[in-house]
Amino acid sequence: SVTVQPDQRTDKRAAQVARRIEEDIVRRGWSVGESLGSEAALQKSYGASRSVVRAAVRVVEHPQVARMR
């Protein structure tokens, strides 16, 4: 049996949340510089922990889709 380490679960969940954030950005037609909302709001919107939201935003930031301030 394969055991998934906590960091691997966070990474997988972060990738899923990042995909949803990217889809929302495109669907809503957000312009460059528009705020995604507070960390707490993102946690609530995507049903994710603070660490997952932070990791997801880093994933989204990487291709220059969004930037954390």
Side-chain angles (χ1 to χ4, degrees):
S1 114
V2 175
T3 304
V4 177
Q5 299 301 317
D7 286 347
Q8 290 174 321
R9 282 194 300 261
T10 298
D11 290 347
K12 183 175 180 179
R13 181 74 175 116
Q16 293 169 338
V17 171
R19 209 169 18 257
R20 289 179 55 204
I21 291 171
E22 290 171 346
E23 289 168 355
D24 285 346
I25 289 170
V26 171
R27 184 172 44 81
R28 294 175 180 163
W30 286 341
S31 32
V32 174
E34 193 162 343
S35 173
L36 298 175
S38 69
E39 205 171 70
L42 291 172
Q43 285 177 256
K44 187 175 180 179
S45 293
Y46 297 103
S49 69
R50 182 179 184 196
S51 61
V52 167
V53 166
R54 285 184 168 199
V57 170
R58 281 193 301 271
V59 169
V60 173
E61 282 181 318
H62 182 70
Q64 305 278 331
V65 173
R67 184 181 56 173
M68 186 177 279
R69 292 189 198 190

